[in-house]
Amino acid sequence: QVQLVESGGGLVQAGGSLRLSCAASGRTFSSYAMGWFRQAPGEEREFVAAISWSGSNTYYADSVKGRFTISRDNAKNTVYLLMNSLKPEDTAVYYCAADEHAGSSRYVPMNDYVMDYWGKGTLVTVSS
């Protein structure tokens, strides 16, 4: 069992940056592949970025590629999402999630239905 707590959301102007953090409890965080998802008002939840348990592989949605960077610090049980060049369409609740069946050190989860644990989310609002 792992608990995930997101932080770092807030209000930012278009073109600005934010860094989200997701702190995980439990001793097995380093064996979990991690992902960030988001859900805008009236929209379905969508994949944003993912990182393998080893940190050696990452994957991004096309909409954020080149602007967002996912990283992790297994010693701190934390995964990060650095968001640059933010756009109003990035406005959403951002969720951190963990996949405990990661297997390969390069496996990255890209679908919400494979994730085993979820945080409660942090709101990011980008003003134009």
Side-chain angles (χ1 to χ4, degrees), residues 18-80:
L18 282 175
R19 190 180 79 158
L20 306 183
S21 298
C22 173
S25 64
R27 295 173 294 177
T28 55
F29 171 79
S30 61
S31 67
Y32 295 159
M34 300 296 295
W36 286 96
F37 296 78
R38 67 187 182 186
Q39 187 168 20
E43 302 290 331
E44 293 189 352
R45 187 166 56 193
E46 65 175 359
F47 168 79
V48 175
I51 188 167
S52 61
W53 63 258
S54 66
S56 64
N57 195 21
T58 58
Y59 190 78
Y60 299 91
D62 287 343
S63 59
V64 307
K65 199 172 297 182
R67 299 188 298 122
F68 290 10
T69 303
I70 188 171
S71 61
R72 67 189 297 159
D73 184 339
N74 286 344
K76 295 183 177 180
N77 280 13
T78 303
V79 63
Y80 305 96

